Amino acid sequence: MILRNPEWLALLPVLLALGWMMPRLNLWRPLRIMCLALITLVLARPQWRLLSDGMDLWVLLDSSTSAEKPMAKGVNELEKLIEKSRGKDDRVFYLNYAGEVMRRGAEGAEIYDRNRSHTRTGLAISQALAFAQREGAGRPARVLAITDGYSTEPLSGVAEKLTKQGVELDYRLMRDAEPTDFRIAAMRIPSRAQLGEPFLVEIEVRGTDDGKVPVIVRRNGRELQTTDADVKMGTGTLRVTDRLTQTGAARYEAIIQPKVDAYPGNNRHEAMIEIAGGPRVLLLTSYKDDPLAATLQKQGFTVETITELRSVRAGQLAGAKCVILNNAPAFELPQEFLASLDFYVRAQGGSVLMAGGKHSFAAGGYFESPIDALLPVSMELKQEHRKLMVAMAIVMDRSGSMGMTVNGGFTKMSLADEGAANAIRFLSPQDLLTVFAVDSEPHEMVPLQQVGPNRDKMESAVRRIESTGGGIYVYTGLRAAWDQLKTAPAGQRHIILFSDAADSEEPGDYKKLVPEIVGGGGTVSVIALGSRSDGDAWLLDDIASLGKGRIFYTDKAEELPSIFSQETVAVARSAFINEPVETQGAGGWFEISGQALDWMPKADGYNLCYLREWASQALLTKDEYNAPLVAFGQRGVGRVAAVTFPLGGEHSQMIRAWSKYGDFVQTLTRWLMGDVVPPGIGLRHRIEGETLTIDLLHDEEWEQRLAKKAPRILLAHGPRAERQHEIAWERMAPGYYQASISLEDGDMVRGAVQAGGQTLAFGPLVSGTSAEWSFDEARVRELRQVSLASGGRELLDLSQAWRNPAVPRFTDLRDWLLALGLVIILFEAFVTRTGWKLPQLVRSPAAAKKKPAREVTTTAADYLARLKRATTTTSSTARPADKFEEDSHPSALLPTPAPDRRSRFDRAKRRGRP
């Protein structure tokens, strides 16, 4: 505690001297002494220290890629100026930030160089406040942000945090001299449009110079328009009108190609639009004229039929309530689409139906595919049901490109080796296998032999295959494999060629060799590492086509083990029973419909599968396998079903002639699509910079539902839904929830809100551009506003960084002392007027020995008589007025002890004498 005006303490001895000189003032009474002391102390202005001397300065250094050059030029000099103006009791702390925040000197700070494609200024300020509160208790603090000002996230709520904690935010903008730069500032497109409704795509181009800037507009990867944007006075706008005739989500991309450009990172922008057409069925089929489509349309369903299976996109799941795979082989479908189905069903409440055929289930390559675990049936043929022996050859590419390391620290070669080992695992003991590793010539790693007694040695041998450089001679490898297989005593001969789609050399006379293989009872499938756009993809496509096999493309080496498994099971452990089989109903149908169904007596054929434990079945075969024909179940919040007999094409004549064919398809599809979401709840979303914000709104009728169980929000990132997680809601007001999350550049997100037993799906959404290079001036204005709200400012002179914040270091005690003094004055007045004394709680021994005085009892009549005599008594003898008042006072009439009463009697006798 300190005294701002200590000279007033000299008044205290003066007051004490006055009390000694004028005893009638009774200043020596304890209460009056306390009052005088408090008044003197109030005049001296006492204050209690809240904050210690010195100040803490938290310096935030922008380490993002967009601020790298200006920060490198001036940050060292700025740090010197800060240190130079620092006081002896002041402390300074440095935090480097970009996508993350790292305190200088902390463990791991020396390797801080990741996630620099973001400028998370809001996170850095919040982290500095947390440090200041934890480590600077009792000390004033300031925050100084040295940045280019272009935060990639909004600063929502930061000003309130600063004000609440009493910390002021200053900032210093670090920028280079403005270079010649053009960028796409915005791409405006409706989030949703109706089927066939025209809409406008608006692209805003900004630049430091004027002129024409070439712009390419693409839709779903295909060029839509190429034109110029005329930039005048720093801004140019390009408008493109479009309409879509297919429901789902479409992805638009705009790219500018200026001749001179300082920052190419801001030359691209993406946006997505959902074309709504009501709940619909997405039918993926290998039949050109699928009878299932016509049947569903007659029943009132909206059906989108896709026969070009390679063109299907995950965005087409938007608005679809059911996906039907009708004899659609897995190797024809993009891996991204298959991988997205799991989240679509389990989290977004969608549904999947797989129908039978020679290109479906295990025969279609779905074993260990991304949707294998979704289906209500297992597809691997049991050993006791295998009837044909297989002779297989695996031709492995071990060229130099296979030595590259991918995610997880594995090389492409090691993952391919693991895939070959998986193939060995799924072969039966009587099957035959040979393996060749090929570069410029074939190397026999496993000679042709039975798998049974040699399985472990085979797996060990293929896991030792290493990349040796050079390329793969495709023809040489195929020739060596066929020379081994063509004389093998097996019912089926098959070659798996694994090769790099961008580096497959020396095709030789494959057009003659592959037909020779097929003519000898063999087939050839290809597993291609890469994409269909790679340079040698045409060769691999042609080999698979001529070889009557399958081709799998993947640009993710991590998927190779599962692809090898899919192909091996499709060849060696799958069965399509192409003979008519009798059927029998099961009780499971009543879980779908309350009415019994008159099942067809026979099916033309079916894919042999086995019912999973969690699934139910409605129809099964009467043959030796007793296998399910119609199976279904719940997966997450979605539903799945498997119809193992064909619904179209070959081996479906009996099924299509069945009188209840339409009723069966309609009932099963309606069950899969689920119920309609009741009214009263809605969802909206928006992307600002890199931040996705989701709002959930509902009316009073939903309040009780959500009170029982809080809503959940699940997100999946990437086209394959590689990363899935749940984020937390924040209740903003009654009927209003909000959640937000930061996205990576170009990140595609799909999500679902599960509330009150219903599911609201949204997306896909895309973070349109690199927020790091967008240079949005709105973010700089937001930083200025936050700084001003906290009491800070832009610092041109860094010596001002140490100025004391506008928070008090001391608190004034005068109000409290005045209140205490008032209480003491009132108490002293009470004591003076009433003569009140502090009760004696413990009696002294002497007082305890005294005999108590005899109590005198006076009746009410005696008291009134004495009062009357006192007021009517007259005397001719003069007496002092004070004595008269004393005797005539009513208190004199009260009962008194005997000695006191005797004294009063004597005084009365004396007054009565002449």
Side-chain angles (χ1 to χ4, degrees):
M1 187 179 72
I2 65 170
L3 300 176
R4 293 294 183 184
N5 300 321
E7 59 271 15
W8 283 101
L9 294 180
L11 181 63
L12 192 58
V14 175
L15 294 175
L16 294 177
L18 182 63
W20 180 73
M21 296 174 61
M22 301 179 67
R24 303 181 87 181
L25 295 177
N26 292 326
L27 297 182
W28 293 100
R29 291 185 180 180
L31 291 178
R32 296 187 180 182
I33 289 177
M34 291 175 63
C35 286
L36 293 177
L38 284 175
I39 292 172
T40 305
L41 193 59
V42 167
L43 293 173
R45 288 184 60 196
Q47 292 185 342
W48 186 264
R49 180 182 291 275
L50 295 177
L51 301 175
S52 61
D53 291 333
M55 188 182 74
D56 290 345
L57 180 64
W58 295 86
V59 182
L60 310 180
L61 301 175
D62 187 347
S63 302
S64 62
T65 52
S66 65
E68 184 175 7
K69 289 183 179 179
M71 291 292 290
K73 292 179 181 178
V75 70
N76 291 334
E77 186 64 26
L78 294 179
E79 290 184 16
K80 290 179 182 179
L81 292 174
I82 292 173
E83 294 289 345
K84 183 178 180 181
S85 55
R86 180 161 67 104
K88 65 175 183 177
D89 294 322
D90 295 333
R91 300 187 303 181
V92 62
F93 304 93
Y94 294 95
L95 300 180
N96 293 81
Y97 76 96
E100 301 173 354
V101 182
M102 181 67 70
R103 182 170 175 176
R104 185 180 293 181
E107 183 179 355
E110 66 278 0
I111 59 172
Y112 173 79
D113 193 33
R114 64 182 185 275
N115 202 7
R116 295 179 58 206
S117 60
H118 302 276
T119 306
R120 304 191 64 185
T121 306
L123 175 65
I125 295 173
S126 299
Q127 194 70 42
L129 291 175
F131 280 135
Q133 191 171 30
R134 184 171 67 246
E135 301 183 18
R139 294 177 61 88
R142 298 188 73 88
V143 175
L144 171 60
I146 302 178
T147 174
D148 61 1
Y150 299 115
S151 175
T152 58
E153 63 178 358
L155 303 182
S156 305
V158 174
E160 290 78 2
K161 293 179 182 179
L162 290 164
T163 304
K164 182 179 180 180
Q165 200 164 324
V167 176
E168 297 177 4
L169 170 66
D170 298 322
Y171 64 94
R172 174 70 176 265
L173 297 181
M174 301 291 291
R175 298 182 182 178
D176 276 335
E178 194 170 71
T180 300
D181 179 57
F182 293 92
R183 69 183 187 277
I184 299 180
M187 186 175 183
R188 303 181 186 93
I189 186 172
S191 61
R192 177 175 294 188
Q194 294 298 316
L195 187 67
E197 176 188 3
F199 55 88
L200 185 68
V201 180
E202 189 175 73
I203 303 162
E204 182 181 344
V205 180
R206 292 185 182 179
T208 55
D209 293 339
D210 291 349
K212 293 186 179 297
V213 179
V215 182
I216 301 174
V217 182
R218 294 174 179 166
R219 181 183 65 203
N220 295 329
R222 296 182 178 180
E223 188 172 315
L224 184 65
Q225 184 176 345
T226 299
T227 185
D228 291 336
D230 192 7
V231 178
K232 294 181 179 180
M233 299 183 66
T235 303
T237 302
L238 177 66
R239 295 179 177 87
V240 178
T241 303
D242 198 11
R243 73 169 68 193
L244 296 176
T245 57
Q246 284 188 337
T247 52
R251 189 169 188 158
Y252 285 81
E253 180 183 15
I255 302 173
I256 60 173
Q257 298 176 328
K259 294 180 180 179
V260 180
D261 193 40
Y263 305 113
N266 52 24
N267 291 358
R268 179 177 168 274
H269 207 297
E270 286 183 302
M272 298 196 78
I273 182 173
E274 180 182 348
I275 305 301
R280 73 187 196 284
V281 175
L282 188 63
L283 175 59
L284 309 179
T285 177
S286 60
Y287 306 124
K288 295 298 181 183
D289 187 15
D290 195 329
L292 188 59
T295 302
L296 289 171
Q297 288 170 349
K298 288 179 182 178
Q299 301 292 338
F301 292 94
T302 301
V303 181
E304 180 183 354
T305 304
I306 299 177
T307 55
E308 294 293 331
L309 300 178
R310 295 178 181 178
S311 65
V312 69
R313 297 170 291 103
Q316 292 177 271
L317 294 173
K321 295 292 291 181
C322 180
V323 176
I324 299 179
L325 302 169
N326 194 11
N327 201 33
F331 57 86
E332 289 287 338
L333 294 170
Q335 288 293 309
E336 291 181 354
F337 178 79
L338 287 175
S340 66
L341 288 176
D342 186 83
F343 184 80
Y344 164 74
V345 172
R346 295 179 188 269
Q348 293 186 306
S351 60
V352 169
L353 166 63
M354 182 174 287
K358 290 187 175 181
H359 299 293
S360 191
F361 294 99
Y366 286 99
F367 178 75
E368 287 201 356
S369 71
I371 66 169
D372 183 4
L374 276 181
L375 297 176
V377 292
S378 60
M379 294 175 278
E380 181 186 356
L381 192 64
K382 293 180 179 179
Q383 181 62 40
E384 60 269 23
H385 294 160
R386 297 232 16 231
K387 296 180 179 180
L388 292 177
M389 184 174 68
V390 174
M392 180 180 290
I394 301 177
V395 179
M396 303 279 289
D397 176 0
R398 70 170 189 180
S399 61
S401 61
M402 293 297 136
M404 295 179 60
T405 303
V406 296
N407 293 338
F410 298 101
T411 63
K412 295 179 180 180
M413 192 74 252
S414 64
L415 292 168
D417 293 345
E418 186 63 30
N422 280 1
I424 297 170
R425 179 165 58 90
F426 286 112
L427 290 173
S428 296
Q430 72 269 21
D431 292 334
L432 302 173
L433 176 71
T434 182
V435 179
F436 287 90
V438 182
D439 40 42
S440 57
E441 60 182 37
H443 304 273
E444 187 181 77
M445 307 303 296
V446 176
L448 185 66
Q449 55 188 308
Q450 273 197 335
V451 173
N454 304 296
R455 192 184 303 272
D456 293 339
K457 291 189 294 182
M458 289 179 172
E459 291 187 25
S460 177
V462 299
R463 285 195 171 99
R464 291 198 301 269
I465 299 175
E466 296 180 352
S467 173
T468 57
I472 175 175
Y473 284 23
V474 174
Y475 177 85
T476 305
L478 290 175
R479 169 53 68 186
W482 179 240
D483 288 344
Q484 289 267 359
L485 291 185
K486 62 184 178 182
T487 58
Q492 184 177 3
R493 301 177 180 87
H494 187 68
I495 298 175
I496 298 177
L497 171 64
F498 166 66
S499 184
D500 191 334
D503 187 26
S504 297
E505 302 177 9
E506 296 295 331
D509 195 5
Y510 77 94
K511 287 185 177 291
K512 181 179 179 181
L513 173 61
V514 177
E516 178 188 334
I517 295 173
V518 174
T523 53
V524 181
S525 290
V526 178
I527 298 176
L529 185 58
S531 66
R532 296 183 186 274
S533 60
D534 287 338
D536 295 324
W538 65 270
L539 170 62
L540 303 180
D541 277 332
D542 202 25
I543 291 174
S545 177
L546 292 173
K548 307 298 182 182
R550 291 159 290 275
I551 183 166
F552 299 85
Y553 281 96
T554 180
D555 56 0
K556 293 183 175 295
E558 305 94 302
E559 296 177 350
L560 289 174
S562 62
I563 293 176
F564 271 93
S565 300
Q566 293 172 42
E567 175 60 16
T568 305
V569 170
V571 173
R573 288 210 170 191
S574 67
F576 180 80
I577 310 299
N578 55 12
E579 297 176 357
V581 61
E582 293 185 356
T583 67
Q584 57 181 343
W589 180 255
F590 290 102
E591 298 179 31
I592 294 177
S593 173
Q595 296 181 352
L597 188 65
D598 185 13
W599 294 104
M600 70 284 189
K602 287 185 177 182
D604 302 85
Y606 70 98
N607 296 82
L608 179 56
C609 299
Y610 309 96
L611 188 71
R612 295 190 190 271
E613 292 182 358
W614 51 266
S616 301
Q617 58 184 353
L619 186 69
L620 59 155
T621 65
K622 280 187 176 180
D623 58 6
E624 58 182 303
Y625 306 118
N626 203 31
L629 292 174
V630 178
F632 57 91
Q634 191 92 15
R635 302 305 282 161
V637 297
R639 295 170 176 176
V640 292
V643 177
T644 60
F645 53 82
L647 294 175
E650 189 181 4
H651 302 292
S652 67
Q653 288 80 9
M654 294 182 185
I655 302 299
R656 284 183 289 162
W658 176 33
S659 61
K660 298 296 183 180
Y661 178 82
D663 292 342
F664 165 69
V665 170
Q666 174 193 198
T667 305
L668 183 58
T669 304
R670 291 199 186 281
W671 177 81
L672 286 167
M673 295 181 73
D675 301 326
V676 178
V677 177
I681 190 168
L683 199 65
R684 67 186 181 194
H685 48 75
R686 61 189 180 277
I687 294 178
E688 297 175 326
E690 63 177 17
T691 302
L692 167 64
T693 303
I694 304 160
D695 298 321
L696 177 65
L697 306 169
H698 64 85
D699 59 18
E700 294 180 357
E701 295 181 3
W702 281 81
E703 190 69 36
Q704 191 171 6
R705 285 189 184 185
L706 300 182
K708 294 179 181 178
K709 186 175 182 180
R712 300 176 63 205
I713 179 167
L714 304 172
L715 293 180
H717 297 258
R720 302 169 183 253
E722 298 95 338
R723 184 168 65 92
Q724 301 179 17
H725 62 101
E726 183 175 352
I727 62 175
W729 286 107
E730 180 180 0
R731 192 177 186 193
M732 311 300 292
Y736 178 24
Y737 290 84
Q738 187 178 87
S740 61
I741 186 174
S742 295
L743 304 178
E744 298 292 332
D745 297 339
D747 191 9
M748 190 178 83
V749 173
R750 292 180 295 130
V753 175
Q754 298 173 2
Q758 300 293 330
T759 302
L760 304 173
F762 64 90
L765 308 171
V766 64
S767 177
T769 187
S770 173
E772 178 65 19
W773 296 101
S774 63
F775 301 131
D776 188 358
E777 289 296 329
R779 296 297 176 217
V780 181
R781 292 193 295 270
E782 187 179 28
L783 178 62
R784 289 193 174 101
Q785 291 170 359
V786 170
S787 175
L788 183 63
S790 70
R793 60 183 178 180
E794 182 177 1
L795 291 185
L796 302 179
D797 181 7
L798 284 184
S799 63
Q800 297 297 313
W802 295 101
R803 71 185 192 280
N804 286 325
V807 291
R809 291 177 182 266
F810 298 89
T811 183
D812 202 317
L813 299 179
R814 288 182 295 177
D815 292 342
W816 294 97
L817 294 178
L818 285 174
L820 179 60
L822 179 61
V823 171
I824 294 176
I825 290 173
L826 293 176
F827 184 64
E828 202 276 338
F830 170 76
V831 171
T832 302
R833 297 292 295 175
T834 63
W836 182 86
K837 294 182 179 180
L838 187 68
Q840 188 172 359
L841 300 179
V842 180
R843 299 179 64 186
S844 63
K849 292 180 180 179
K850 288 184 180 181
K851 185 177 180 179
R854 184 175 59 89
E855 294 184 357
V856 179
T857 304
T858 305
T859 64
D862 294 339
Y863 177 76
L864 292 175
R866 292 180 61 192
L867 180 62
K868 184 176 180 182
R869 286 195 303 269
T871 54
T872 57
T873 301
T874 58
S875 176
S876 59
T877 306
R879 53 179 177 165
D882 59 340
K883 292 295 184 179
F884 177 80
E885 292 175 0
E886 179 183 350
D887 291 339
S888 62
H889 193 276
S891 61
L893 305 177
L894 295 175
T896 57
D900 191 24
R901 190 168 61 250
R902 182 67 183 174
S903 174
R904 287 181 178 230
F905 177 74
D906 292 339
R907 287 198 303 272
K909 285 179 60 179
R910 287 195 299 270
R911 283 197 297 268
R913 293 174 184 172

